[in-house]
Amino acid sequence: MSADSVQSLIDQLHDEAEMDRPNDLTPDVGIVMGSDSDLPTMAGGKGKRPGAYAALADELGFEEQTNYTDAPESRFTFETFVCSAHRTPELMYAYAETAADRGIDVIIAGAGGKSADLPNMTASIAYPLPVIGVPVQEKSVDSVIGMPQGAPITAVDAGKSFNAALSAVQILARQHDELRDRLVSYHEGLQTEVGEASRDLHELGTPGFKREHWDE
Amino acid sequence: MSADSVQSLIDQLHDEAEMDRPNDLTPDVGIVMGSDSDLPTMAGGKGKRPGAYAALADELGFEEQTNYTDAPESRFTFETFVCSAHRTPELMYAYAETAADRGIDVIIAGAGGKSADLPNMTASIAYPLPVIGVPVQEKSVDSVIGMPQGAPITAVDAGKSFNAALSAVQILARQHDELRDRLVSYHEGLQTEVGEASRDLHELGTPGFKREHWDE
Amino acid sequence: MSADSVQSLIDQLHDEAEMDRPNDLTPDVGIVMGSDSDLPTMAGGKGKRPGAYAALADELGFEEQTNYTDAPESRFTFETFVCSAHRTPELMYAYAETAADRGIDVIIAGAGGKSADLPNMTASIAYPLPVIGVPVQEKSVDSVIGMPQGAPITAVDAGKSFNAALSAVQILARQHDELRDRLVSYHEGLQTEVGEASRDLHELGTPGFKREHWDE
Amino acid sequence: MSADSVQSLIDQLHDEAEMDRPNDLTPDVGIVMGSDSDLPTMAGGKGKRPGAYAALADELGFEEQTNYTDAPESRFTFETFVCSAHRTPELMYAYAETAADRGIDVIIAGAGGKSADLPNMTASIAYPLPVIGVPVQEKSVDSVIGMPQGAPITAVDAGKSFNAALSAVQILARQHDELRDRLVSYHEGLQTEVGEASRDLHELGTPGFKREHWDE
Amino acid sequence: MSADSVQSLIDQLHDEAEMDRPNDLTPDVGIVMGSDSDLPTMAGGKGKRPGAYAALADELGFEEQTNYTDAPESRFTFETFVCSAHRTPELMYAYAETAADRGIDVIIAGAGGKSADLPNMTASIAYPLPVIGVPVQEKSVDSVIGMPQGAPITAVDAGKSFNAALSAVQILARQHDELRDRLVSYHEGLQTEVGEASRDLHELGTPGFKREHWDE
Amino acid sequence: MSADSVQSLIDQLHDEAEMDRPNDLTPDVGIVMGSDSDLPTMAGGKGKRPGAYAALADELGFEEQTNYTDAPESRFTFETFVCSAHRTPELMYAYAETAADRGIDVIIAGAGGKSADLPNMTASIAYPLPVIGVPVQEKSVDSVIGMPQGAPITAVDAGKSFNAALSAVQILARQHDELRDRLVSYHEGLQTEVGEASRDLHELGTPGFKREHWDE
Amino acid sequence: MSADSVQSLIDQLHDEAEMDRPNDLTPDVGIVMGSDSDLPTMAGGKGKRPGAYAALADELGFEEQTNYTDAPESRFTFETFVCSAHRTPELMYAYAETAADRGIDVIIAGAGGKSADLPNMTASIAYPLPVIGVPVQEKSVDSVIGMPQGAPITAVDAGKSFNAALSAVQILARQHDELRDRLVSYHEGLQTEVGEASRDLHELGTPGFKREHWDE
Amino acid sequence: MSADSVQSLIDQLHDEAEMDRPNDLTPDVGIVMGSDSDLPTMAGGKGKRPGAYAALADELGFEEQTNYTDAPESRFTFETFVCSAHRTPELMYAYAETAADRGIDVIIAGAGGKSADLPNMTASIAYPLPVIGVPVQEKSVDSVIGMPQGAPITAVDAGKSFNAALSAVQILARQHDELRDRLVSYHEGLQTEVGEASRDLHELGTPGFKREHWDE
């Protein structure tokens, strides 16, 4: 039996699943994490590198949908939930079970610790929806990646929820050329940075580059 | 949605949970494993060391209960199921959820692979029933033991379901002096073996001991 | 400069890329591996578990396309190549560079050893096509999964090319309901096996199950 | 031969064991640790997460018994000792040997370092009393968990003495429904926190949640 | 297709390769790294130990060449570039492919992360030019060193680009006695430091040495 | 309380300790191991390399003493016992506690598994007698070597009880020049083997050496 | 003091060093290994992959020189010795100390075990001659690669003496175009194999390739 | 050839070895370390725990001998040197080779890094003198402990030079009852601390103990 605050979320998920909303008004990507202490890794901040939130919202033009029946203007959206596999198994179960009916196309699931069960269990229950696992810590990699034959999950490297978001959009881009273009455009920005750093380092020489680019 | 063979087990577990059978006619220990390929580790055989089955049935006088409504004569019994966390999450959920109502006192849950989620998920769902996790492989240890704060599980070493059974009976022995005596008696047998090997090795000398005890 | 046998493949890939074939006549999934010694892991056999070939061809009804201009009858197909990152970097480059134009929707790339660069380099060059990396050995996991921010790849567990194929089809199933149904149907088969093993183990009891199911 | 300060403790333990005190006036849980430098891990503080002390005293209503013959008012109590396996092996021996006679029902034993022998030796000597091992450091896990067949111990994850206390109370709850209720009540509190964080994160959206809940 | 800033570097490298400059006016050692964030490891600074730059420029009298057609006065020179294997595979390819024609004799290639592909791919493409790999982090060692049979690379320990530079000069010294002398002279300096520390520690005694040499 | 076979050994050890036998009639080296399954590692055989027995008895002229009151003719002797830390803690305690009084000068203690407590506990109890720990398996190394400050043990590499015996005799050789000579003589034999193999390999060439020395 | 068989080798090495033989009559590559049990890894055979011997003698046209004053006809040669760092430190010292004077240009040094000191010590003593270390076992990698700053060594992956030979010849090829050509020619052979396997696998399809190329 | 500062130490060691000084005027324990940066670990300070210096000088009454011909008043003494295996192999060789003749009874040799060769090489060259290896870092353990059969060394845990000193004195105590007494007396002090902490923690209770003993 779940606490009230959990049960109301479970009920809401089931209600939404029965609404049969048109796909372009539901979130395309669902982000779940085992604890709100995983948020810095999943969304950036508190000294962590940029996360899935930055990739989706800042680089690729997605908006976060915070109300299932009131979609943002953007065509492409995502939603975010906390679901603890070990403290709220019923909530995790409900999220995974209703995801397809709620219109989600890809799930990004992150968890930390050595028993990072959320991504795996979500992938098992939400099957055949694709789930991309994010090991929140290095020690979570084995637990996330080690699914048995017949139970698919794919995973990114520890802490790299940013890349998980890119991978999720690569999946969506199979159907949406607009997203393919956004991915390419993001990539050109990345390359430009490398090219400029390379030319500066080469032409200024190592001491010159340090003087120019380092604070010290 | 689960396949028929799974659904019928789930239904049966829920039916049994509602029967409200007297505790001395229900299994005391529930053994679950992620796959029947874990059986050699959980029960011995196929080149594996003796397992939980041997500890319970051979050393401590438990009987295996194979029909919920038809208990064996022994006062102390256990039952055995396969529940795959990743292939049959609903079955796992149903087993853990009904365990207390079905009269189980301790669960021994074994799983292999790097994502050995069965013991953890069972402990989370069956809480506050005590669950002893058995990592079926060395690489399963981290996944089994690494539960977050607030979600208790205890674990034995990789492959040592025999010890998990001893630990389960140590728990039951808090209430049943008879079981305490059986544990002590088992232990004396163990000690006698060590004592005799030690005396033989010491008194025969190393070459003498090898001649006497080794086949080669 | 590449050896003749390699150069002719490179030329062929570029020729095919320029043909602009309709998408339903080109392979949906491209499987590449670093060496033909990876074939047992990527396709099963020689003591290895079933691989991507078995998942696609046996479980999900795909056909292998061995001639680019002569597609098999099935709507869903895959192709297979060997591309060594370290011995034939030009071939790897050409495969990844032409993949999208050759109509590939998802690439499954497997490599062994500690420097398993093929999946990563393929993902970098074929970007934004989704690439699923298969570490052929346990020691290949780190090298496959460890891509830097901005360079997405997702990976399955060591040796599990079977699951990589399921994941690839999960991606394709976003657009093809037919594939979603095949994935569900495969899964029901899996569950039935677990359900039957669980009932047998429970009802026959451990010794009975061993007698019935074990050879020894 | 032991130093005086150690010998007087050993003598006291043996004296208490002979007192034959009624079980509801003796400590239910005995906590031992290899060094007082393990106290932050075993009891919380100095930057460590909450420990066994917090679980028992703050969450589950146990009182610490500091005088064997003068029990606190609470029905459920625990006691705490330092016993170094390597510096005071006689004290460790005496504690484990007298534990059952002193009325202890479960021992929680924590030790750090790579040779974390205290939990194992305590479990071997106090047998068949259940002992829950707490590896004080990550590097202590192997040493604590690796007991040979026939010598049972169960262990929690590194540093998680809080969970060890929950597990100990799960054992006691087999006999005391009052403790089962306290465990359930503690768990509802945990779930409520997750449910509220999940709703907040979902409805405020990621940037809103950060503004509301993060200090930065 | 590469971003402009990258493409102009690629074009420049190919142009330089066709110039056929005399070997004593081209860089002897080419240093490439996967990101300018590797510069502290490859060149020292920001809390990192002295790197390849210090070894070449400070200890062994090399000058950094920052303009291909305008060589410094020193006979022995090196150049430095950033080439990301995963973000700019075309640039990496172009650098490695043109290195021999641009007059480079040895390449030092450093990369970090678990997928440290730059050294390996550079060695594969620049073959048969010798490439010395520098794993920028401990976790990069496996990826750098693990090349398959037939694809040679040699590597130094994690972070030791200083030693990679010494090794590169050991290779050049096969042809240039002048460099052999510089290596020997550098080594004598090293030995003198050890000899003086040893005498001081021995003769002052441990407390005397601490007083003399430690700040505290 | 110990089983009879164990108790009689404990009594015997205490009796012998009180005999006050002259040192040249008592064993110089005491070998203890956690189980007779460790004997192949501690004494050689069953596919294991030569062990402590071979080093002492075959290479250095020690005899095994199997009866405390009836010493062999050789001046230098050793004895062998099985003492399980986890199954017979009282026997381990008695052996370590009486060792000095029984005339032992050095103890070699070997144990396997991840909780290899015998060497550590023996060193703690027998202190200040020197104890050389032998990790019987690779996974035993950490547990054997990891003693806390103030509790000395020294250890050899996993499985190398042969070297432990050499180290034990190096200790005894501080007092006995005869043993120093035996150690030197053993070493010359070792060197001769290397010298001859080196000359053969060099002069026959690799194929010639293989033909001469390899069976295949 | 060394055994006679070792001393005569030491003397011989010093004698040869004083002969001042012309460089084209002395071995170009010196191969040393810690034990003749390393020969399968260093030279192939006994189930090991092809080694340095195969690379030099079979692929690159070197001859093995077995008599210092009687060079083979080939311009490029190598020699082979066993030098144990731990059993014959004087021999190791003599080999490294005389290598340059004996006309060696590059040393390939292989050793196994966790204390694989031979490559490191050889590199330290033979400095500034380049030394390529071969860790004979996976567990030898750390010991071989981990040299401190100022003491250069480069290493190949565990067991890959074949690649060490290629790397050694890459060094020699700086001065000898003939060797550069041989390296390129060897590489074309490698590529041809990959190209042919790739075409076969692609065109025959997976089952067809298995039928054609696998024995089973 | 060595730098002057090194050569003068080598000459001095050889001169001292020929002096044939009486054993009670020479150092009993020789401490060598690979670098003066190892001094904090070998002698304490700079945030490291107490080292061999503290054990010998503060706990066991040894004096440091800083002039070979001018011994301190204490009967028991030690000396300290820096000898880098990789930067000054000749000095290491000279120290080990002359140790026995210079009257050293036990050597404590510490080194850091992954190639911690000093303890092993010293043990090989100084054989049959006992050498106790101190891995200065965790990553040095394997390299120090992994000696091949026939080449004995014993080792303590990473960083525990304090224990190495206790072990060295355990060896000397075989001949000197005075040292045995000092070891016992040191141990009683250790035990007293544990006993007092245990009583305080038990009797004050956990919060009381924290108030009394913790600063916070």
Side-chain angles (χ1 to χ4, degrees), chain B residues 12-32:
Chain B
Q12 177 182 320
L13 290 167
H14 283 290
D15 291 348
E16 291 169 3
E18 282 167 21
M19 285 181 191
D20 205 20
R21 299 275 292 178
N23 202 272
D24 56 356
L25 295 183
T26 62
D28 301 284
V29 179
I31 299 178
V32 287

Side-chain angles (χ1 to χ4, degrees), chain G residues 84-87 89-90 92-93 97 112-118 120-121 124-125 139 142-151, chain H residues 84-87 89-90 92-93 97 112-118 120-121 124-125 139 142-151:
Chain G
S84 168
H86 298 304
R87 289 169 294 156
E90 291 86 355
M92 172 188 75
Y93 199 98
E97 191 183 24
K114 292 190 289 192
S115 302
D117 296 357
L118 176 64
N120 308 279
M121 292 308 306
S124 295
I125 300 165
K139 64 182 170 183
D142 274 5
S143 174
V144 169
I145 210 176
M147 293 276 276
Q149 181 171 321
Chain H
S84 168
H86 297 304
R87 289 169 294 156
E90 291 85 356
M92 172 188 75
Y93 200 97
E97 191 183 25
K114 292 190 289 193
S115 302
D117 296 356
L118 176 65
N120 308 278
M121 291 310 305
S124 295
I125 300 166
K139 64 181 170 184
D142 274 4
S143 174
V144 170
I145 210 177
M147 293 275 276
Q149 182 171 320

